[in-house]
Amino acid sequence: MNVSVVILAAGAGTRMKSKMPKVLHKICGKEMLFYSIDEALQISDDVHIVLFHQENTIKERVICAYKQAYANGALHFHLQDHAHYPGTGGALMQGQSAGINAKKPFCYQYDEILILNGDMPLVRSQTLKSLCQNKAQIVMSVLHLQNPFGYGRVVIESGEVQRIIEQKDATESELVIQDVNAGVYKFHKSILELYLPQVQNANNQQEFYLTDVIFYAKENGVKIAALQVKEEEFMGVNSKIQLSSAQEVMLQRLREKAMEQGVIMHLPHTIYIESNVTFSGECIIEQGVQILGDSYISDSHIKAHSVIEQSIIESSDVGPLAHIRPKSHIKNTHIGNFVETKSSILRGVKVGHLSYLGDCEVDEGSNIGAGVITCNYDGKAKHKTIIGKSVFVGSDVQLIAPLKIESNVLIGAGSTITKDIEYGDLALSRTAQQNIKDGFFKFFSPKNEEKKEE
Ligand code: UD1
Ligand code: CA
């Protein structure tokens, strides 16, 4: 679309009570600001981000996540002159660097400018697109809320928007207004050029409000299109309570999308999935499962209360109560309860119970007994364990890495393996069992009258 998008992300976010900039707080594993950038890039190749608080941290993170868009010149950054021009209106002004025209707007590629608050992670590109299709010189978004607390109230008279009053500036009678400013606007370039310089900071927060542009334009007879929008997409996130409410909405969307693709979910409201998780084929996800990061799950059954982090699982069953940690690739494999993997590749393996497999590769037909542990860390560095095909690792074996175990190997239960094992060998490392005659009675007196069997 021929529209430039500006994302306002320079606020301090004090209501968040956090050292981290508000827009970097995550929803389903993804930064709030990144949701806005993703949607903006769907509709525009001229996206501007206004920063101030922790400018460099945010900029670095954005450039790293959007290398391509940044290289293509689709992303631009501006620094708000916060000391002189605080507020959402100030965020659009060039500031002192522009000299006497400090209040003039930045330069944009297109004549239509869509402005988004950076704390609205739920808004979708499709909705933004339809908002942009309205040809009025000013288009704003209005929410009707049971509880309008915190939002700017929209004063509407005879069906027309007159002005917007912030919570902190409102009178008692204005506070009861339930129509609020949702924080997405489209302005024609000429509107910003004419009315942004008129904005003053004579209000209780001593800030330059973007919303005053609408007031001045209205005073000069400009028509304002006020579009009713839904809270589900337009809620602003100012506090950690609102962060959790927005996450609930996002989670529901992600779960519904997965189910529409054919995933079966047991008790979906107990399942947590992050925004970069992808599914394919037929999957079953049981209650209480968490799937995080860029995980990919294909034709697999993830049983109750398992946690999958940043891993690939194909044609396998996992859990209940398994922990698949980052960089695991699990294929045609059975993983039972209380199994933990990390940076491990398992192809056609059975790991039934209570194991830790870290930094290892296990090949087809191998069986890992209960209680097997790869000792991958010597206190200084991580080492690999490579296990071939059709290896039978007995219960309670410690595999001290680095280690290479060739195919068709049998390892006796309870062994501590420190040396490589060759094809076809049986490895045992345990002391021979001794049975000491009447040894029990050296420590205890007889507890019952049961006679020793003859
Ligand atoms: C703003 C609106 C309010 C609306 C609400 C919707 C104004 C004056 N008020 O209030 O009418 O109902 O959003 O959610 O616009 N920001 C900057 N620079 C600043 C201050 C803020 O870039 O100096 C950015 C913030 O990072 C944030 C966005 O602008 O992403 C909105 O700021 P915030 O302080 O959350 O505004 P609200 O008080 O919620
Ligand atoms: Ca806000």
Tab-separated table of all heavy atoms in Angstrom, residues 88-144:
chain	number	residue	atom	x	y	z
A	88	THR	N	3.227	11.857	22.928
A	88	THR	CA	3.018	11.158	21.649
A	88	THR	C	3.086	12.118	20.453
A	88	THR	O	3.456	11.715	19.356
A	88	THR	CB	1.664	10.423	21.642
A	88	THR	OG1	0.647	11.332	22.071
A	88	THR	CG2	1.676	9.223	22.554
A	89	GLY	N	2.741	13.399	20.686
A	89	GLY	CA	2.875	14.393	19.615
A	89	GLY	C	4.343	14.719	19.424
A	89	GLY	O	4.854	14.778	18.298
A	90	GLY	N	5.046	14.898	20.536
A	90	GLY	CA	6.480	15.172	20.495
A	90	GLY	C	7.227	14.085	19.738
A	90	GLY	O	8.221	14.354	19.051
A	91	ALA	N	6.742	12.870	19.850
A	91	ALA	CA	7.400	11.729	19.188
A	91	ALA	C	7.431	11.894	17.678
A	91	ALA	O	8.280	11.316	17.006
A	91	ALA	CB	6.685	10.434	19.558
A	92	LEU	N	6.500	12.678	17.129
A	92	LEU	CA	6.448	12.853	15.670
A	92	LEU	C	7.189	14.098	15.200
A	92	LEU	O	7.308	14.362	14.008
A	92	LEU	CB	4.990	12.941	15.213
A	92	LEU	CG	4.163	11.672	15.373
A	92	LEU	CD1	2.720	11.941	15.017
A	92	LEU	CD2	4.711	10.563	14.500
A	93	MET	N	7.706	14.871	16.165
A	93	MET	CA	8.366	16.138	15.808
A	93	MET	C	9.859	15.940	15.623
A	93	MET	O	10.464	15.128	16.314
A	93	MET	CB	8.148	17.161	16.931
A	93	MET	CG	6.699	17.539	17.147
A	93	MET	SD	6.549	18.538	18.653
A	93	MET	CE	4.773	18.785	18.717
A	94	GLN	N	10.430	16.736	14.747
A	94	GLN	CA	11.869	16.599	14.486
A	94	GLN	C	12.725	17.066	15.655
A	94	GLN	O	13.864	16.662	15.790
A	94	GLN	CB	12.253	17.349	13.212
A	94	GLN	CG	11.731	16.661	11.982
A	94	GLN	CD	12.448	17.121	10.723
A	94	GLN	OE1	13.541	17.679	10.767
A	94	GLN	NE2	11.829	16.885	9.585
A	95	GLY	N	12.166	17.959	16.494
A	95	GLY	CA	12.905	18.413	17.676
A	95	GLY	C	13.963	19.431	17.343
A	95	GLY	O	14.004	19.986	16.250
A	96	GLN	N	14.857	19.645	18.321
A	96	GLN	CA	15.824	20.737	18.210
A	96	GLN	C	16.733	20.627	17.002
A	96	GLN	O	17.214	21.633	16.483
A	96	GLN	CB	16.656	20.785	19.487
A	96	GLN	CG	15.827	21.193	20.686
A	96	GLN	CD	16.372	22.429	21.363
A	96	GLN	OE1	17.574	22.521	21.599
A	96	GLN	NE2	15.523	23.373	21.669
A	97	SER	N	16.933	19.413	16.543
A	97	SER	CA	17.812	19.247	15.387
A	97	SER	C	17.271	19.994	14.171
A	97	SER	O	18.008	20.350	13.258
A	97	SER	CB	17.974	17.764	15.059
A	97	SER	OG	16.703	17.218	14.766
A	98	ALA	N	15.957	20.270	14.177
A	98	ALA	CA	15.361	20.983	13.047
A	98	ALA	C	15.367	22.496	13.253
A	98	ALA	O	14.773	23.236	12.479
A	98	ALA	CB	13.939	20.488	12.825
A	99	GLY	N	16.025	22.962	14.337
A	99	GLY	CA	16.140	24.395	14.582
A	99	GLY	C	14.796	25.045	14.854
A	99	GLY	O	14.018	24.550	15.651
A	100	ILE	N	14.491	26.139	14.166
A	100	ILE	CA	13.270	26.885	14.466
A	100	ILE	C	12.003	26.109	14.110
A	100	ILE	O	10.937	26.396	14.610
A	100	ILE	CB	13.228	28.271	13.763
A	100	ILE	CG1	13.590	28.113	12.298
A	100	ILE	CG2	14.104	29.286	14.481
A	100	ILE	CD1	13.202	29.304	11.455
A	101	ASN	N	12.114	25.128	13.234
A	101	ASN	CA	10.936	24.328	12.895
A	101	ASN	C	10.885	23.037	13.698
A	101	ASN	O	10.536	21.993	13.193
A	101	ASN	CB	10.926	23.987	11.401
A	101	ASN	CG	10.700	25.219	10.574
A	101	ASN	OD1	9.875	26.056	10.930
A	101	ASN	ND2	11.441	25.348	9.496
A	102	ALA	N	11.268	23.149	14.967
A	102	ALA	CA	11.407	21.960	15.815
A	102	ALA	C	10.175	21.066	15.809
A	102	ALA	O	10.277	19.868	15.978
A	102	ALA	CB	11.719	22.392	17.236
A	103	LYS	N	8.985	21.660	15.600
A	103	LYS	CA	7.759	20.870	15.711
A	103	LYS	C	7.306	20.281	14.387
A	103	LYS	O	6.233	19.702	14.309
A	103	LYS	CB	6.656	21.746	16.287
A	103	LYS	CG	6.845	22.069	17.765
A	103	LYS	CD	5.789	23.085	18.156
A	103	LYS	CE	5.532	23.111	19.636
A	103	LYS	NZ	4.397	24.011	19.914
A	104	LYS	N	8.115	20.455	13.357
A	104	LYS	CA	7.640	19.913	12.077
A	104	LYS	C	7.828	18.389	12.033
A	104	LYS	O	8.712	17.846	12.690
A	104	LYS	CB	8.294	20.617	10.898
A	104	LYS	CG	9.671	20.189	10.567
A	104	LYS	CD	10.105	20.898	9.275
A	104	LYS	CE	11.425	20.312	8.822
A	104	LYS	NZ	12.017	21.009	7.705
A	105	PRO	N	6.965	17.723	11.263
A	105	PRO	CA	7.044	16.259	11.251
A	105	PRO	C	8.263	15.744	10.497
A	105	PRO	O	8.860	16.461	9.704
A	105	PRO	CB	5.756	15.832	10.530
A	105	PRO	CG	5.319	17.017	9.760
A	105	PRO	CD	5.838	18.235	10.468
A	106	PHE	N	8.618	14.479	10.761
A	106	PHE	CA	9.693	13.819	10.006
A	106	PHE	C	9.258	13.668	8.552
A	106	PHE	O	8.091	13.882	8.208
A	106	PHE	CB	9.958	12.425	10.598
A	106	PHE	CG	10.535	12.465	11.978
A	106	PHE	CD1	9.788	12.064	13.076
A	106	PHE	CD2	11.834	12.908	12.189
A	106	PHE	CE1	10.319	12.107	14.355
A	106	PHE	CE2	12.374	12.945	13.467
A	106	PHE	CZ	11.616	12.551	14.558
A	107	CYS	N	10.194	13.290	7.676
A	107	CYS	CA	9.852	13.093	6.265
A	107	CYS	C	9.466	11.643	6.026
A	107	CYS	O	10.127	10.732	6.513
A	107	CYS	CB	11.057	13.428	5.385
A	107	CYS	SG	11.519	15.143	5.556
A	108	TYR	N	8.396	11.463	5.282
A	108	TYR	CA	7.934	10.116	4.973
A	108	TYR	C	7.838	9.958	3.462
A	108	TYR	O	7.655	10.926	2.724
A	108	TYR	CB	6.562	9.863	5.626
A	108	TYR	CG	6.580	10.096	7.112
A	108	TYR	CD1	5.940	11.213	7.677
A	108	TYR	CD2	7.246	9.228	7.958
A	108	TYR	CE1	5.976	11.446	9.041
A	108	TYR	CE2	7.293	9.453	9.324
A	108	TYR	CZ	6.649	10.573	9.866
A	108	TYR	OH	6.704	10.793	11.205
A	109	GLN	N	7.885	8.701	3.026
A	109	GLN	CA	7.875	8.429	1.583
A	109	GLN	C	6.510	8.705	0.954
A	109	GLN	O	6.416	9.138	-0.173
A	109	GLN	CB	8.271	6.961	1.376
A	109	GLN	CG	8.505	6.592	-0.056
A	109	GLN	CD	8.962	5.135	-0.146
A	109	GLN	OE1	9.623	4.614	0.743
A	109	GLN	NE2	8.597	4.483	-1.235
A	110	TYR	N	5.447	8.423	1.706
A	110	TYR	CA	4.094	8.529	1.131
A	110	TYR	C	3.311	9.686	1.749
A	110	TYR	O	3.676	10.210	2.801
A	110	TYR	CB	3.334	7.210	1.317
A	110	TYR	CG	4.017	6.050	0.640
A	110	TYR	CD1	4.667	5.069	1.397
A	110	TYR	CD2	4.056	5.945	-0.753
A	110	TYR	CE1	5.319	4.007	0.778
A	110	TYR	CE2	4.711	4.885	-1.374
A	110	TYR	CZ	5.334	3.919	-0.604
A	110	TYR	OH	5.981	2.884	-1.215
A	111	ASP	N	2.186	10.028	1.100
A	111	ASP	CA	1.349	11.135	1.585
A	111	ASP	C	0.417	10.719	2.718
A	111	ASP	O	-0.084	11.547	3.467
A	111	ASP	CB	0.502	11.702	0.433
A	111	ASP	CG	1.378	12.469	-0.556
A	111	ASP	OD1	2.540	12.765	-0.194
A	111	ASP	OD2	0.913	12.735	-1.678
A	112	GLU	N	0.143	9.407	2.763
A	112	GLU	CA	-0.730	8.912	3.842
A	112	GLU	C	0.156	8.305	4.930
A	112	GLU	O	1.054	7.507	4.635
A	112	GLU	CB	-1.672	7.822	3.316
A	112	GLU	CG	-2.576	8.264	2.183
A	112	GLU	CD	-3.766	9.097	2.663
A	112	GLU	OE1	-3.911	9.297	3.891
A	112	GLU	OE2	-4.530	9.550	1.807
A	113	ILE	N	-0.120	8.691	6.184
A	113	ILE	CA	0.738	8.228	7.282
A	113	ILE	C	-0.107	7.552	8.359
A	113	ILE	O	-1.011	8.161	8.940
A	113	ILE	CB	1.527	9.418	7.862
A	113	ILE	CG1	2.431	9.972	6.746
A	113	ILE	CG2	2.385	8.985	9.038
A	113	ILE	CD1	2.613	11.440	6.802
A	114	LEU	N	0.194	6.291	8.571
A	114	LEU	CA	-0.525	5.511	9.584
A	114	LEU	C	0.321	5.506	10.850
A	114	LEU	O	1.502	5.175	10.802
A	114	LEU	CB	-0.705	4.075	9.071
A	114	LEU	CG	-1.450	3.130	10.011
A	114	LEU	CD1	-2.941	3.450	10.033
A	114	LEU	CD2	-1.246	1.674	9.592
A	115	ILE	N	-0.293	5.884	11.969
A	115	ILE	CA	0.464	5.953	13.223
A	115	ILE	C	-0.062	4.911	14.201
A	115	ILE	O	-1.271	4.820	14.443
A	115	ILE	CB	0.374	7.372	13.817
A	115	ILE	CG1	1.035	8.331	12.817
A	115	ILE	CG2	1.075	7.447	15.171
A	115	ILE	CD1	0.750	9.768	13.063
A	116	LEU	N	0.867	4.132	14.740
A	116	LEU	CA	0.490	3.081	15.693
A	116	LEU	C	1.217	3.322	17.000
A	116	LEU	O	2.418	3.587	16.998
A	116	LEU	CB	0.968	1.705	15.204
A	116	LEU	CG	0.635	1.215	13.817
A	116	LEU	CD1	1.284	-0.161	13.601
A	116	LEU	CD2	-0.872	1.097	13.696
A	117	ASN	N	0.518	3.173	18.110
A	117	ASN	CA	1.213	3.124	19.396
A	117	ASN	C	1.989	1.805	19.433
A	117	ASN	O	1.493	0.788	18.953
A	117	ASN	CB	0.211	3.145	20.553
A	117	ASN	CG	-0.337	4.543	20.816
A	117	ASN	OD1	0.112	5.509	20.209
A	117	ASN	ND2	-1.303	4.633	21.708
A	118	GLY	N	3.182	1.837	20.008
A	118	GLY	CA	4.008	0.623	20.029
A	118	GLY	C	3.580	-0.386	21.080
A	118	GLY	O	4.196	-1.429	21.232
A	119	ASP	N	2.519	-0.081	21.809
A	119	ASP	CA	2.085	-0.995	22.874
A	119	ASP	C	0.740	-1.637	22.542
A	119	ASP	O	-0.096	-1.841	23.409
A	119	ASP	CB	2.018	-0.247	24.223
A	119	ASP	CG	1.047	0.920	24.221
A	119	ASP	OD1	0.451	1.219	23.160
A	119	ASP	OD2	0.870	1.551	25.287
A	120	MET	N	0.550	-1.928	21.247
A	120	MET	CA	-0.707	-2.562	20.810
A	120	MET	C	-0.383	-3.810	19.996
A	120	MET	O	-0.536	-3.820	18.782
A	120	MET	CB	-1.472	-1.596	19.918
A	120	MET	CG	-1.707	-0.264	20.559
A	120	MET	SD	-2.626	0.809	19.477
A	120	MET	CE	-3.825	-0.286	18.905
A	121	PRO	N	0.070	-4.859	20.652
A	121	PRO	CA	0.587	-6.017	19.921
A	121	PRO	C	-0.478	-6.858	19.227
A	121	PRO	O	-0.147	-7.727	18.437
A	121	PRO	CB	1.257	-6.841	21.030
A	121	PRO	CG	0.524	-6.456	22.268
A	121	PRO	CD	0.170	-5.020	22.113
A	122	LEU	N	-1.746	-6.582	19.483
A	122	LEU	CA	-2.775	-7.487	18.968
A	122	LEU	C	-3.387	-7.050	17.649
A	122	LEU	O	-4.155	-7.787	17.032
A	122	LEU	CB	-3.897	-7.650	20.018
A	122	LEU	CG	-3.434	-8.241	21.352
A	122	LEU	CD1	-4.529	-8.114	22.399
A	122	LEU	CD2	-3.034	-9.699	21.198
A	123	VAL	N	-3.041	-5.843	17.207
A	123	VAL	CA	-3.682	-5.311	16.001
A	123	VAL	C	-3.151	-6.041	14.751
A	123	VAL	O	-1.978	-6.378	14.672
A	123	VAL	CB	-3.489	-3.776	15.927
A	123	VAL	CG1	-2.071	-3.389	15.607
A	123	VAL	CG2	-4.450	-3.156	14.943
A	124	ARG	N	-4.070	-6.347	13.820
A	124	ARG	CA	-3.683	-7.152	12.649
A	124	ARG	C	-3.607	-6.313	11.373
A	124	ARG	O	-4.370	-5.361	11.196
A	124	ARG	CB	-4.708	-8.259	12.427
A	124	ARG	CG	-4.699	-9.279	13.548
A	124	ARG	CD	-5.552	-10.444	13.156
A	124	ARG	NE	-6.725	-10.531	13.997
A	124	ARG	CZ	-7.175	-11.674	14.518
A	124	ARG	NH1	-6.560	-12.804	14.276
A	124	ARG	NH2	-8.248	-11.680	15.257
A	125	SER	N	-2.738	-6.726	10.470
A	125	SER	CA	-2.505	-5.959	9.247
A	125	SER	C	-3.790	-5.796	8.429
A	125	SER	O	-4.027	-4.757	7.821
A	125	SER	CB	-1.419	-6.603	8.400
A	125	SER	OG	-1.781	-7.908	8.060
A	126	GLN	N	-4.631	-6.839	8.443
A	126	GLN	CA	-5.875	-6.779	7.675
A	126	GLN	C	-6.751	-5.609	8.148
A	126	GLN	O	-7.323	-4.866	7.346
A	126	GLN	CB	-6.620	-8.118	7.850
A	126	GLN	CG	-7.566	-8.463	6.729
A	126	GLN	CD	-6.920	-8.302	5.350
A	126	GLN	OE1	-5.795	-8.717	5.123
A	126	GLN	NE2	-7.646	-7.650	4.446
A	127	THR	N	-6.802	-5.439	9.471
A	127	THR	CA	-7.600	-4.355	10.056
A	127	THR	C	-6.970	-3.007	9.712
A	127	THR	O	-7.676	-2.046	9.390
A	127	THR	CB	-7.659	-4.530	11.587
A	127	THR	OG1	-8.015	-5.877	11.850
A	127	THR	CG2	-8.634	-3.592	12.232
A	128	LEU	N	-5.645	-2.948	9.770
A	128	LEU	CA	-4.946	-1.697	9.448
A	128	LEU	C	-5.204	-1.322	7.993
A	128	LEU	O	-5.415	-0.157	7.662
A	128	LEU	CB	-3.447	-1.850	9.691
A	128	LEU	CG	-3.033	-2.089	11.145
A	128	LEU	CD1	-1.528	-2.321	11.236
A	128	LEU	CD2	-3.425	-0.898	12.028
A	129	LYS	N	-5.213	-2.333	7.157
A	129	LYS	CA	-5.441	-2.121	5.730
A	129	LYS	C	-6.812	-1.496	5.499
A	129	LYS	O	-6.946	-0.495	4.781
A	129	LYS	CB	-5.376	-3.470	5.022
A	129	LYS	CG	-4.722	-3.427	3.680
A	129	LYS	CD	-4.735	-4.820	3.078
A	129	LYS	CE	-3.428	-5.153	2.425
A	129	LYS	NZ	-3.324	-6.534	2.020
A	130	SER	N	-7.826	-2.053	6.147
A	130	SER	CA	-9.167	-1.515	5.905
A	130	SER	C	-9.292	-0.101	6.482
A	130	SER	O	-9.991	0.747	5.926
A	130	SER	CB	-10.266	-2.459	6.406
A	130	SER	OG	-10.082	-2.714	7.748
A	131	LEU	N	-8.567	0.156	7.587
A	131	LEU	CA	-8.560	1.517	8.147
A	131	LEU	C	-7.933	2.503	7.147
A	131	LEU	O	-8.408	3.619	6.965
A	131	LEU	CB	-7.748	1.474	9.433
A	131	LEU	CG	-7.953	2.529	10.486
A	131	LEU	CD1	-8.137	1.869	11.847
A	131	LEU	CD2	-6.765	3.452	10.563
A	132	CYS	N	-6.886	2.035	6.454
A	132	CYS	CA	-6.191	2.903	5.484
A	132	CYS	C	-7.024	3.138	4.228
A	132	CYS	O	-6.781	4.094	3.494
A	132	CYS	CB	-4.860	2.285	5.073
A	132	CYS	SG	-3.645	2.346	6.376
A	133	GLN	N	-7.975	2.239	3.976
A	133	GLN	CA	-8.775	2.407	2.766
A	133	GLN	C	-9.755	3.575	2.873
A	133	GLN	O	-10.255	4.063	1.872
A	133	GLN	CB	-9.498	1.100	2.416
A	133	GLN	CG	-8.625	0.263	1.478
A	133	GLN	CD	-8.809	-1.220	1.640
A	133	GLN	OE1	-9.706	-1.672	2.369
A	133	GLN	NE2	-7.979	-1.998	0.979
A	134	ASN	N	-9.999	4.024	4.096
A	134	ASN	CA	-10.863	5.188	4.282
A	134	ASN	C	-10.108	6.434	3.796
A	134	ASN	O	-8.976	6.680	4.197
A	134	ASN	CB	-11.212	5.324	5.764
A	134	ASN	CG	-12.277	6.354	6.006
A	134	ASN	OD1	-12.143	7.503	5.596
A	134	ASN	ND2	-13.337	5.939	6.664
A	135	LYS	N	-10.743	7.204	2.928
A	135	LYS	CA	-10.017	8.304	2.286
A	135	LYS	C	-10.056	9.633	3.044
A	135	LYS	O	-9.499	10.637	2.582
A	135	LYS	CB	-10.561	8.522	0.848
A	135	LYS	CG	-10.232	7.358	-0.086
A	135	LYS	CD	-8.713	7.219	-0.306
A	135	LYS	CE	-8.359	5.881	-0.935
A	135	LYS	NZ	-7.163	5.253	-0.369
A	136	ALA	N	-10.690	9.674	4.221
A	136	ALA	CA	-10.734	10.925	4.984
A	136	ALA	C	-9.316	11.394	5.314
A	136	ALA	O	-8.391	10.583	5.364
A	136	ALA	CB	-11.527	10.710	6.272
A	137	GLN	N	-9.176	12.702	5.542
A	137	GLN	CA	-7.833	13.233	5.832
A	137	GLN	C	-7.339	12.828	7.216
A	137	GLN	O	-6.138	12.782	7.466
A	137	GLN	CB	-7.855	14.755	5.709
A	137	GLN	CG	-7.917	15.200	4.247
A	137	GLN	CD	-7.442	16.619	4.125
A	137	GLN	OE1	-7.995	17.515	4.772
A	137	GLN	NE2	-6.421	16.844	3.324
A	138	ILE	N	-8.326	12.585	8.100
A	138	ILE	CA	-7.963	12.041	9.419
A	138	ILE	C	-8.865	10.847	9.694
A	138	ILE	O	-10.093	10.963	9.642
A	138	ILE	CB	-8.176	13.071	10.554
A	138	ILE	CG1	-7.286	14.296	10.329
A	138	ILE	CG2	-7.903	12.437	11.912
A	138	ILE	CD1	-7.439	15.363	11.401
A	139	VAL	N	-8.246	9.715	9.958
A	139	VAL	CA	-9.019	8.541	10.357
A	139	VAL	C	-8.503	8.151	11.736
A	139	VAL	O	-7.295	8.035	11.943
A	139	VAL	CB	-8.803	7.357	9.377
A	139	VAL	CG1	-9.631	6.161	9.804
A	139	VAL	CG2	-9.158	7.769	7.955
A	140	MET	N	-9.415	7.988	12.686
A	140	MET	CA	-8.970	7.522	14.003
A	140	MET	C	-9.787	6.310	14.430
A	140	MET	O	-10.846	6.030	13.870
A	140	MET	CB	-9.037	8.637	15.040
A	140	MET	CG	-10.446	9.105	15.356
A	140	MET	SD	-10.478	10.235	16.761
A	140	MET	CE	-10.061	9.133	18.111
A	141	SER	N	-9.259	5.598	15.420
A	141	SER	CA	-9.911	4.371	15.870
A	141	SER	C	-10.526	4.601	17.251
A	141	SER	O	-9.894	5.195	18.126
A	141	SER	CB	-8.876	3.262	15.935
A	141	SER	OG	-7.728	3.715	16.641
A	142	VAL	N	-11.767	4.138	17.411
A	142	VAL	CA	-12.483	4.367	18.668
A	142	VAL	C	-12.970	3.036	19.240
A	142	VAL	O	-13.505	2.199	18.526
A	142	VAL	CB	-13.695	5.306	18.445
A	142	VAL	CG1	-14.479	5.513	19.738
A	142	VAL	CG2	-13.242	6.643	17.889
A	143	LEU	N	-12.740	2.890	20.547
A	143	LEU	CA	-13.204	1.691	21.262
A	143	LEU	C	-14.330	2.094	22.198
A	143	LEU	O	-14.259	3.151	22.835
A	143	LEU	CB	-12.093	1.192	22.175
A	143	LEU	CG	-11.020	0.253	21.668
A	143	LEU	CD1	-9.954	0.093	22.757
A	143	LEU	CD2	-11.631	-1.098	21.357
A	144	HIS	N	-15.351	1.255	22.305
A	144	HIS	CA	-16.377	1.524	23.313
A	144	HIS	C	-16.147	0.539	24.457
A	144	HIS	O	-16.249	-0.661	24.276
A	144	HIS	CB	-17.777	1.358	22.721
A	144	HIS	CG	-18.835	1.805	23.664
A	144	HIS	ND1	-19.196	3.127	23.803
A	144	HIS	CD2	-19.576	1.106	24.551
A	144	HIS	CE1	-20.126	3.222	24.739
A	144	HIS	NE2	-20.372	2.016	25.210
